[in-house]
Amino acid sequence: MSERSERVTSTDGQPGHAAGEGSVDSATEVFVAHRNLLFTVAYEMLGSAADAEDVLQETWLRWVGVDLATVRDQRAYLVRITTRQALTRLRTLGRRKETYVGQWLPEPLLTAPDVAEDVELADHVSMAMLLVLETLTPTERAVFVLRDVFDFPYGEIAEAVGKTPAAVRQIAHRARSHVAARRPRDVVSSAETRAALEAFQRAVETGDVQNLVDVLAPDVVLLSDAGGLKQALPRPVVGARKVARLLSRGLAWVRAEADLSFEPVQVNGRPGLIVRINGETDTVMAARVENGLITGLYFVRNPEKLTRIEQATPLSR
C-alpha cells in the first residue's frame, strides 16, 4: 500500500483527517501504551535496536497525524505502520550488510526476567532465532513475526505487508517450514542454558581445555561480530576442540595483559555473559544450547551494538 493509503479510513469508508494539536496528547498516550510491543515487532524484524528505534520514530510521525476517532483498532493500526516502516528499513539493511566488515550478528539486548518467563517470546527473540530469521526474505520475516510470534490474524497481516490474505497464508506456511528446518528442535529451559553457561564460564576461567570441550557439542559453531572496529574472527569456527583451543589461548593472552571478568546476565531472554576487560564491557556472549551442550556461541564485540547492554530493554507481545 502507498503512504497515502496508510492514512486511516473512517468507519464510513472516508479518509480520516490529520489530528489537530488538541489530540496530540491522546495520540501520545496510545503510542506509549503500545510502545514496547511496537519495539519488539521492529526489533524482531530487523535484529537491530538502533534501527528499531528509528522505525518507532517514523511510526510516531505518521501516527500523530491521524484522526484517532476514525481508527477502529489502534493496536493493529500502529503495528501496521511499524511493519511497513520496518520492511522498508529491512531492505536497506540487506544492502548495508553486504558491505559489513566480517560476520554480522544481531544487536544483543539486556532483558528483564519477565521476558524469560514468556518462554515463547524468549525463544523468538533469542540470538539463535534472530539468525534463523535472517535467512527469510523481508516479507517472509514480517509475516512469520506477526503470525507466529504475535498471533495477528491473516487479514491484518495482509494489510501490513500489502498482500492478499490468501497470499499471506502461503507465505506464512513457507516461512514456518523454513524456520522449522533451521531452529533448535526443542525449546530449552533457562535453567538448562544457565547450567551449560556456568560450566562454560568455569572452564574458561580455569583454562581447562578438556572441561571446555566437554560442554561444547562436537559440531559447535562460534560466530563473532566486531564490525571492523575490534579484532574478531573473519569466518565461523566449527568443532568443539577448535573452539576450545581458540578460546583458551585468546582468553589466556587477555588475562595475562588485563583484568578479565564474566558477568551472568539475561541476553535476549536467555542466560548470557558480559565479558569485561579492566571493568569495561568488551563482549556480549549468547549461546544456543541443545541436550545440555552448547551448539552455538555468539560473541558481539562491535561497540556500536553494545550501547544498550547496561540497562534492560522492555519487550512485550
Side-chain angles (χ1 to χ4, degrees):
M1 292 187 178
S2 66
E3 284 295 317
R4 182 177 297 276
S5 67
E6 192 174 86
R7 290 281 189 183
V8 281
T9 299
S10 63
T11 53
D12 61 2
Q14 299 300 314
H17 299 288
E21 290 184 7
S23 63
V24 171
D25 288 344
S26 296
T28 301
E29 183 179 350
V30 173
F31 184 84
V32 170
H34 296 293
R35 190 186 189 285
N36 292 348
L37 164 69
L38 302 178
F39 177 86
T40 307
V41 169
Y43 175 72
E44 285 210 49
M45 286 184 60
L46 299 168
S48 165
D51 286 291
E53 291 288 0
D54 288 344
V55 163
L56 260 62
Q57 179 65 23
E58 292 295 327
T59 299
W60 161 250
L61 291 175
R62 284 158 175 75
W63 173 246
V64 76
V66 304
D67 182 356
L68 299 190
T70 66
V71 180
R72 295 186 184 91
D73 186 333
Q74 295 172 338
R75 177 177 180 268
Y77 188 79
L78 279 166
V79 169
R80 186 160 70 246
I81 302 175
T82 299
T83 300
R84 291 175 183 169
Q85 296 306 310
L87 277 170
T88 300
R89 181 67 59 121
L90 190 57
R91 295 181 178 110
T92 301
L93 281 177
R95 294 190 292 272
R96 194 190 309 171
K97 289 171 189 173
E98 292 175 0
T99 59
Y100 192 79
V101 179
Q103 301 174 78
W104 185 94
L105 288 172
E107 182 178 348
L109 298 179
L110 195 70
T111 50
D114 66 314
V115 176
E117 292 168 3
D118 185 339
V119 176
E120 188 173 357
L121 177 60
D123 178 52
H124 282 288
V125 299
S126 69
M127 294 287 280
M129 176 58 83
L130 290 176
L131 283 173
V132 173
L133 295 183
E134 284 292 314
T135 64
L136 300 175
T137 68
T139 301
E140 286 174 343
R141 187 166 183 169
V143 169
F144 180 85
V145 167
L146 293 180
R147 181 60 185 173
D148 283 52
V149 183
F150 297 97
D151 198 30
F152 274 87
Y154 288 111
E156 290 183 12
I157 299 173
E159 288 285 332
V161 301
K163 303 286 185 181
T164 66
V168 166
R169 286 179 181 275
Q170 292 179 342
I171 294 169
H173 176 74
R174 185 168 64 246
R176 197 174 295 119
S177 298
H178 186 95
V179 170
R182 291 161 176 80
R183 71 188 301 179
R185 289 180 296 275
D186 300 309
V187 176
V188 178
S189 69
S190 291
E192 185 175 350
T193 301
R194 188 178 301 108
L197 275 179
E198 288 173 353
F200 173 89
Q201 183 178 345
R202 287 193 300 270
V204 296
E205 286 178 336
T206 60
D208 192 318
V209 176
Q210 186 55 53
N211 281 348
L212 188 51
V213 169
D214 290 343
V215 76
L216 300 176
D219 57 350
V220 62
V221 178
L222 168 62
L223 303 174
S224 63
D225 174 347
L229 301 177
K230 287 186 177 181
Q231 186 176 5
L233 301 167
R235 292 175 297 277
V237 177
V238 181
R241 293 204 172 275
K242 286 184 180 179
V243 170
R245 285 197 298 267
L246 177 70
L247 291 177
S248 296
R249 292 170 183 170
L251 293 174
W253 181 84
V254 172
R255 193 176 286 108
E257 300 291 328
D259 178 33
L260 179 69
S261 64
F262 299 84
E263 178 188 354
V265 292
Q266 289 285 324
V267 177
N268 288 57
R270 296 290 181 84
L273 294 171
I274 294 179
V275 183
R276 291 192 171 90
I277 297 178
N278 293 330
E280 297 293 327
T281 299
D282 178 83
T283 303
V284 171
M285 194 199 92
R288 171 173 168 171
V289 174
E290 296 179 73
N291 299 319
L293 298 177
I294 295 175
T295 59
L297 283 168
Y298 314 110
F299 286 17
V300 181
R301 303 195 69 211
N302 184 342
E304 294 178 352
K305 293 185 177 184
L306 303 181
T307 58
R308 302 174 67 98
I309 208 63
E310 299 300 331
Q311 183 175 352
T313 298
L315 302 174
S316 70
R317 289 198 290 166

